[in-house]
């Protein structure tokens, strides 16, 4: 904490030119409040600005006996000195607010017998920061004496809140101000622009007698925010003067609007005349990253090559306009996003200066490419791996199924965070190490790390896969106590209860989601009904889904066709199958053909089942032939059963299922020679009958 005391001799420079976003206004106001509050009684605080903090180039504080100047066009004297006890109280209020103790700050404020304008402004600022605009306004109305800073604080507080009512209240205060500074005007421009009311923003802008460069930047940024690219460029060209951030504002806004080619044109046309070379290279870096995000790697590289590279002792004419580490990182990231890890590594090896982001980008690139050998090798060479570095390696090994190495890195990690635990728990769940996932969650709780939605979702998947209803209910209680369930977490709850057969509980959660459901929610519920024999409920829900214009997916139709098979709805099953392509443009896959074969086969239409198989555009898999074999068993078609069984023997040569089923069918009709032939074939192929087992109750607690 810096203390501005008379005994301290220093020259302190705050560079605020970088902060030009709308969100920086409150931060800059708080900065000024701090400077006010910490200036001691033996200094002369003679001037403060009526220009916005994000418009002025610097603040200079000089040693005792001299004055602080906040360079601006307008300034006025507020006081020459303040009692030491009030200054101390102001600092204490500011510190309490900064540490999140707003109530204690108000308690101290109320106890003060002497307050100055800074005291009131500090307390109002605390309320504004915490979006408690009603309390801020109440204090503002009670102020015995206000300055322009007080007005700007409350106006910015209103504009930070969402809703037209707050915006109108801010405008009323603006109109009532006895005098305005640049902060007042620019805050209103930004507030209207943020609310999408560019007509009002331009009206305020045009009413300004003396527009500064930030006013122009604010209105241009507003047009870009509201996707009026053409007008933004027109205003940029009309600017009487530009600062080093003006070009960056326009280029960034054009990129956000998808106008990358226009952004490059602007960069070439106006970049050469820019005084701020650091901001110019920032604009280039932003466009390189933008091209990378859109997959235009060649354009990104062309732009990257245009940025001069510092070479040894050579002094460039554009000294500050040269590649910095962000330039290299942006280009490497573009290659990584395009999947070109080789080109990314070539650039990485050429870098003379790397930061942690450079290393992490390269490590993550190898992880995404599942090249864990290179990722691990690079990680071992990192000078200072951070938590992201460790988490990337852990996640990579977990995703590739190497839980042993993932766990080894996890144990060696110096400082674990929630993402570290989630990566390991998710890795165990994906690799069917369900016991390991539960054990890790227990250790996570013992370590004092609180679970989030990702943790709980992985645990619910474990419960669903192991049909562990009791554990799933415990996790549900934890969800209720620790987080506000979002759509994916509610979907996990529905899936868990449905898989465990608790259909009523699943439907309850489904109904509570109301209009927050997505197609996964519907699929989970339809699939739950279908898999537990509630065929008509599944189909009724599917029809409701269509009436509500929720577009089904391939997963939806697998459940719907299975429901038709269980209910014996042959004709309806055929219609649903045809509607996949004709109505929804979904090309049937092998799973859908297997369901159709099951539908007609169960009904005894085995010839039609074989016709479906013979006309399939894809090779039938074990599910298709399994459906045929099951239907043949029910309808006692031994000859067709042999065809299906032989197909299954080829697909699953080590499985005893088709042998046993075919043997039993021959035995049932008294064809013992054929049955013995199957038994001898099993012995020849060294096929052993698999022992039966059950998981019911095995993981219920």
């Amino acid at each position: 904490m810096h203390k501005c005391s008379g005994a301290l001799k220093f020259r302190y420079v705050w560079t605020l030119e970088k902060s030009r976003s709308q969100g920086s206004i409150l931060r800059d106001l708080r900065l000024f409040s701090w400077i006010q509050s910490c200036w001691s009684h033996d200094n002369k605080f003679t001037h403060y600005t009526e220009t916005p903090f994000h418009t002025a180039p610097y603040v200079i504080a000089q040693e005792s006996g001299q004055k602080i100047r906040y360079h601006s066009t307008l300034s006025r004297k507020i006081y020459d000195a303040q009692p030491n006890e009030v200054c101390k109280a102001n600092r204490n209020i500011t510190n309490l607010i900064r540490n999140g103790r707003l109530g204690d700050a108000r308690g101290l404020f109320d106890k003060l017998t002497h307050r100055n304008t800074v005291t009131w402004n500090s307390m109002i600022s605390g309320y504004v920061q915490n979006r408690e605009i009603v309390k801020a306004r109440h204090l503002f109305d009670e102020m015995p004496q206000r300055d322009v800073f007080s007005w700007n604080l409350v106006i910015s507080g209103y504009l930070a809140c969402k809703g037209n009512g707050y915006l109108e209240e801010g405008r009323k205060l603006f109109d009532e101000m006895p005098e305005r500074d640049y902060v007042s005007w620019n805050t209103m421009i930004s507030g209207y622009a943020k609310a999408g009311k560019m007509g009002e923003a331009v009206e305020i802008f045009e009413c300004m007698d003396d527009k500064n460069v930030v006013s122009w930047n604010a209105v241009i940024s507003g047009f870009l925010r509201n996707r009026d690219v053409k007008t933004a460029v027109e205003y940029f060209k009309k600017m009487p003067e530009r600062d080093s951030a003006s070009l960056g504002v326009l280029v960034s806004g054009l990129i956000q609007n998808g106008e990358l080619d226009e952004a490059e044109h602007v960069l070439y046309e106006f970049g050469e005349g820019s005084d701020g070379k650091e901001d110019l290279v920032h604009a280039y870096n932003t466009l390189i990253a933008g091209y990378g995000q859109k997959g235009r790697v060649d354009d990104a590289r062309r732009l990257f090559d245009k940025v001069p590279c510092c070479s040894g002792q050579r002094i460039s004419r554009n000294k500050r306009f040269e590649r910095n580490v962000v330039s290299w990182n942006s280009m490497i990231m573009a290659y990584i996003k395009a999947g070109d890890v080789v080109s990314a590594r070539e650039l990485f090896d050429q870098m003379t200066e790397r930061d942690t982001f450079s290393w992490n980008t390269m490590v993550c690139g190898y992880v995404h490419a599942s090249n864990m050998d290179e990722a691990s090798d690079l990680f071992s060479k990192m000078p200072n791996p951070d938590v992201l570095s460790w988490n990337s390696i852990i996640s990579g090994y977990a995703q590739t199924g190497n839980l042993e190495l993932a766990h080894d890195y996890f144990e060696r990690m110096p400082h674990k965070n929630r993402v570290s635990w989630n990566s390991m728990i998710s890795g165990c769940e994906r690799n069917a190490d369900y016991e390991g996932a539960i054990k890790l969650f227990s250790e996570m709780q013992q370590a004092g790390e609180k679970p989030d939605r990702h943790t709980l979702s992985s645990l619910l998947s474990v419960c669903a896969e192991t049909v562990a209803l009791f554990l799933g209910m415990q996790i549900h209680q934890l969800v209720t106590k620790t987080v506000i369930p979002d759509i994916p977490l509610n979907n996990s709850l529905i899936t868990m209860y449905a898989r465990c057969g608790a259909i009523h509980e699943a439907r309850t959660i489904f109904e509570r989601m109301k209009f927050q459901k997505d197609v996964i929610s519907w699929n989970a519920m339809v699939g739950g009904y279908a898999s537990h024999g509630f065929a008509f409920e599944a189909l009724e829900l599917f029809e409701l889904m269509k009436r509500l214009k929720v577009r089904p997916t391939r997963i939806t139709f697998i459940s719907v066709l299975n429901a038709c098979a269980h209910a014996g709805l042959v004709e309806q099953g055929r219609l649903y199958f045809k509607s996949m392509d004709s109505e929804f443009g979904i090309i049937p896959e092998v799973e859908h053909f297997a369901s159709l074969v099951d539908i007609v086969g169960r009904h005894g239409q085995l010839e039609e089942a074989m016709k479906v198989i013979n006309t399939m555009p894809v090779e039938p898999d074990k599910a298709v032939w399994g459906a045929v074999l099951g239907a043949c068993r029910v309808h006692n078609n031994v000859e067709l059963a042999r065809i299906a069984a032989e197909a299954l023997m080829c697909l699953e040569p080590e499985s005893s299922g088709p042998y046993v089923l075919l043997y039993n069918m021959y035995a049932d009709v008294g064809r013992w020679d054929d049955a013995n032939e199957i038994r001898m074939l099993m012995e020849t192929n060294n096929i052993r009958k698999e022992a039966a087992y059950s998981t019911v109750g095995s993981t219920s607690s």
Side-chain angles (χ1 to χ4, degrees):
M1 175 72 183
H2 298 285
K3 295 184 178 180
C4 302
S5 65
L8 186 64
K9 296 185 177 182
F10 66 94
R11 184 174 179 89
Y12 198 56
V13 179
W14 293 86
T15 303
L16 299 174
E17 191 65 29
K18 302 291 184 185
S19 303
R20 297 192 176 274
S21 65
Q22 295 172 19
S24 68
I25 295 174
L26 287 178
R27 184 170 63 252
D28 297 338
L29 291 173
R30 293 197 297 271
L31 171 60
F32 181 64
S33 178
W34 174 80
I35 294 175
Q36 282 184 302
S37 67
C38 71
W39 202 251
S40 63
H41 70 283
D42 57 342
N43 289 97
K44 300 286 185 178
F45 195 121
T46 58
H47 288 78
Y48 89 101
T49 184
E50 293 186 322
T51 303
F53 267 84
H54 59 299
T55 69
Y58 44 78
V59 177
I60 299 178
Q62 295 178 322
E63 59 187 85
S64 177
Q66 299 183 30
K67 60 187 177 181
I68 275 189
R69 286 193 182 275
Y70 185 81
H71 290 253
S72 64
T73 305
L74 299 173
S75 61
R76 69 181 177 83
K77 188 171 182 178
I78 52 171
Y79 57 86
D80 289 328
Q82 53 177 297
N84 189 50
E85 60 272 14
V86 177
C87 175
K88 183 178 179 181
N90 292 346
R91 287 200 301 268
N92 289 337
I93 289 173
T94 302
N95 287 333
L96 288 169
I97 292 171
R98 186 181 292 115
N99 292 316
R101 298 168 59 185
L102 189 60
D104 293 337
R106 181 56 191 265
L108 176 58
F109 176 87
D110 290 337
K111 289 178 182 178
L112 293 176
T113 55
H114 298 288
R115 307 182 185 110
N116 60 17
T117 307
V118 177
T119 317
W120 289 87
N121 286 345
S122 298
M123 198 63 238
I124 291 172
S125 176
Y127 283 129
V128 169
Q129 292 172 42
N130 289 274
R131 297 292 192 270
E132 296 190 28
I133 189 60
V134 175
K135 293 180 180 179
R137 178 60 186 271
H138 182 70
L139 271 187
F140 175 80
D141 291 339
E142 290 182 348
M143 284 186 76
Q145 184 178 359
R146 307 180 187 115
D147 57 21
V148 70
F149 183 77
S150 315
W151 290 86
N152 290 340
L153 261 177
V154 181
I155 290 173
S156 65
Y158 276 120
L159 299 187
C161 300
K162 293 182 179 180
N164 288 331
Y166 293 110
L167 187 60
E168 291 169 2
E169 198 64 37
R171 177 59 188 267
K172 286 180 183 177
L173 278 182
F174 176 81
D175 291 337
E176 294 171 6
M177 289 184 74
E179 56 178 326
R180 306 184 185 105
D181 63 4
Y182 283 125
V183 170
S184 317
W185 292 95
N186 294 339
T187 300
M188 284 307 306
I189 292 171
S190 296
Y192 276 126
K194 188 176 181 181
K197 298 188 174 185
M198 283 309 299
E200 289 85 345
V202 172
E203 178 188 347
I204 294 286
F205 178 77
E206 295 298 339
C207 287
M208 290 183 72
D209 294 328
D210 186 16
K211 305 175 181 68
N212 67 0
V213 68
V214 178
S215 312
W216 285 91
N217 287 346
V219 78
I220 290 169
S221 178
F223 283 123
L224 292 167
R225 173 188 283 271
N226 291 280
R227 301 193 173 279
D228 189 352
V229 172
K230 182 180 178 181
T231 309
V233 174
E234 289 175 357
Y235 268 72
F236 180 82
K237 291 179 178 179
K238 290 192 296 185
M239 288 182 75
E241 60 175 340
R242 305 183 185 98
D243 64 5
S244 58
S246 303
L247 183 62
V249 167
L250 182 59
V251 170
S252 297
L254 289 171
I255 292 170
Q256 290 169 8
N257 282 277
E259 300 288 343
L260 276 71
D261 294 320
E262 179 67 18
E264 184 170 351
H265 174 74
V266 167
L267 198 56
Y268 290 156
E269 184 177 356
F270 299 100
E272 292 302 319
S274 175
D275 293 331
K277 301 303 181 182
E278 289 177 351
D279 291 278
L280 181 57
V281 76
H282 171 71
Y284 269 86
N285 293 343
T286 304
L287 187 51
I288 290 168
Y291 278 134
Q293 285 293 322
K294 295 295 183 181
R296 296 172 59 176
V297 184
D298 292 339
D299 289 323
R301 184 56 190 260
R302 174 175 49 78
L303 203 64
F304 174 81
D305 290 337
K306 287 182 180 294
V307 182
C309 182
C310 180
S311 56
Q313 301 297 319
R314 183 179 61 84
I315 299 176
S316 172
R317 218 173 21 157
N318 297 324
K319 185 177 179 182
R320 288 188 295 161
F321 179 47
E322 59 190 20
R323 291 179 199 164
N324 56 22
V325 68
V326 179
S327 313
W328 292 88
N329 289 345
S330 300
M331 193 61 238
I332 291 171
M333 178 64 79
Y335 278 128
I336 293 294
K337 185 173 176 62
D340 189 355
V341 185
V342 174
S343 297
R345 182 58 185 268
E346 288 177 0
L347 270 189
F348 178 83
D349 291 338
Q350 293 172 25
M351 292 180 73
T352 56
E353 178 188 356
R354 305 184 185 108
D355 59 10
T356 305
F357 187 85
S358 315
W359 289 90
N360 284 341
T361 302
M362 208 56 242
V363 169
C364 288
Y366 282 124
V367 167
H368 287 207
S370 299
N371 189 343
M372 290 309 300
D373 290 337
E374 286 292 341
S376 177
D377 179 66
L378 204 60
F379 176 83
S380 66
K381 297 175 182 176
M382 281 189 71
N384 296 298
D386 61 5
V387 67
L388 177 60
S389 320
W390 286 92
N391 287 343
S392 297
I393 287 291
I394 292 168
S395 176
Y397 277 121
Q399 289 174 8
T400 54
N402 196 333
L403 289 180
E404 185 177 350
L405 272 177
H407 196 269
D408 177 62
Y409 276 95
F410 179 76
E411 290 298 322
R412 291 193 286 118
M413 190 175 181
H415 301 290
K416 303 175 181 67
N417 63 5
R418 187 180 297 155
V419 177
S420 318
W421 290 97
N422 286 350
S423 296
M424 281 303 304
I425 292 172
S426 174
C428 289
E429 179 261 319
R430 290 184 180 184
N431 290 280
D433 183 10
Y434 305 125
E435 186 177 343
I438 300 299
K439 183 180 178 182
L440 277 167
F441 176 63
S442 177
E443 293 174 1
M444 179 182 180
Q445 290 182 304
Q446 292 173 7
E449 191 69 62
K450 293 183 179 180
D452 62 4
R453 294 184 181 92
H454 299 289
T455 322
L456 298 169
S457 182
S458 294
L459 293 170
L460 288 170
S461 296
V462 169
C463 298
E465 292 297 328
T466 57
V467 199
L469 178 59
F470 181 70
L471 179 59
M473 293 170 67
Q474 290 179 309
I475 301 299
H476 188 182
Q477 290 179 349
L478 198 58
V479 168
T480 305
K481 293 176 182 178
T482 57
V483 299
I484 298 174
D486 56 3
I487 295 175
L489 191 53
N490 275 321
N491 291 345
S492 296
L493 284 166
I494 294 171
T495 301
M496 184 275 294
Y497 278 121
R499 291 270 188 93
C500 294
I503 298 297
H504 176 73
E505 286 77 6
R507 186 60 185 260
T508 300
I509 296 169
F510 179 81
E511 294 298 337
R512 283 178 185 167
M513 292 177 73
K514 296 183 179 179
F515 298 107
Q516 298 297 316
K517 307 179 189 75
D518 60 9
V519 68
I520 299 175
S521 318
W522 290 89
N523 287 349
M525 200 64 243
V526 171
Y529 277 131
S531 61
H532 289 284
F534 297 97
F536 291 102
E537 288 84 351
L539 297 178
E540 182 182 18
L541 197 61
F542 176 64
E543 292 298 330
L544 176 61
M545 181 180 180
K546 291 197 295 182
R547 287 197 299 273
L548 294 176
K549 307 298 182 184
V550 180
R551 187 174 181 81
T553 65
R554 53 176 293 278
I555 301 295
T556 318
F557 277 101
I558 291 174
S559 299
V560 168
L561 293 173
N562 286 339
C564 291
H566 288 298
L569 302 173
V570 180
E571 188 56 36
Q572 196 166 351
R574 290 194 189 101
L575 292 175
Y576 281 137
F577 184 85
K578 291 178 181 177
S579 73
M580 287 180 63
D581 188 12
S582 62
E583 190 174 347
F584 301 103
I586 300 173
I587 305 301
E589 298 177 15
V590 67
E591 296 93 342
H592 304 103
F593 283 103
S595 297
L596 182 60
V597 168
D598 192 26
I599 290 171
V600 296
R602 287 188 186 216
H603 203 252
Q605 301 176 15
L606 297 176
E607 290 185 4
E608 184 179 349
M610 290 303 297
K611 183 179 179 181
V612 170
I613 293 174
N614 292 330
T615 56
M616 282 174 59
V618 292
E619 285 293 321
D621 64 358
K622 62 180 182 180
V624 176
W625 289 113
V628 174
L629 188 56
C632 290
R633 179 76 174 90
V634 171
H635 297 284
N636 204 29
N637 189 325
V638 181
E639 302 306 324
L640 195 54
R642 176 136 195 168
I643 295 173
E646 288 176 350
L648 282 171
M649 291 173 192
C650 293
L651 292 170
E652 296 183 300
E654 296 181 358
S655 174
S656 63
Y659 293 92
V660 173
L661 189 58
L662 191 57
Y663 176 90
N664 290 335
M665 289 185 68
Y666 280 135
D668 287 344
V669 296
R671 294 173 58 173
W672 293 106
D673 290 341
D674 292 324
N676 287 331
E677 180 189 348
I678 297 300
R679 183 174 59 80
M680 294 295 294
L681 187 60
M682 286 185 68
E683 292 178 359
T684 302
N685 295 335
N686 198 25
I687 304 296
R688 298 189 179 277
K689 184 179 178 182
E690 298 168 0
Y693 66 93
S694 173
T695 61
V696 175
S698 62
T699 56
S700 60
S701 61

